[in-house]
Amino acid sequence: MRWWKWLGLAGVAGVAATGVVIARSERRRRAYTPDEIRTRLRERVEDQADGRRS
């Protein structure tokens, strides 16, 4: 194969891998219940009010 074909295949593989990472993080994000999200947001606000940043 020529080098440009390998470059194209690498690009396609990169796009596919990026899609997998995005889908995985989206599933994790959607797995939280509204109560869990509310609790986590309140904890963040309290941390910032105390002057700590994560």
Side-chain angles (χ1 to χ4, degrees):
M1 283 186 156
R2 296 184 181 207
W3 67 269
W4 54 270
K5 287 184 181 180
W6 285 109
L7 183 63
L9 288 173
V12 169
V15 169
T18 302
V20 168
V21 169
I22 290 171
R24 190 175 294 165
S25 66
E26 187 70 15
R27 275 196 306 265
R28 274 192 216 128
R29 187 182 68 80
R30 290 179 186 236
Y32 294 122
T33 65
D35 290 334
E36 289 173 330
I37 293 171
R38 193 175 300 113
T39 302
R40 291 180 66 179
L41 287 173
R42 286 180 179 159
E43 288 173 355
R44 285 185 187 177
V45 170
E46 289 174 6
D47 287 347
Q48 288 183 354
D50 291 342
R52 297 178 299 199
R53 297 188 193 269
S54 54

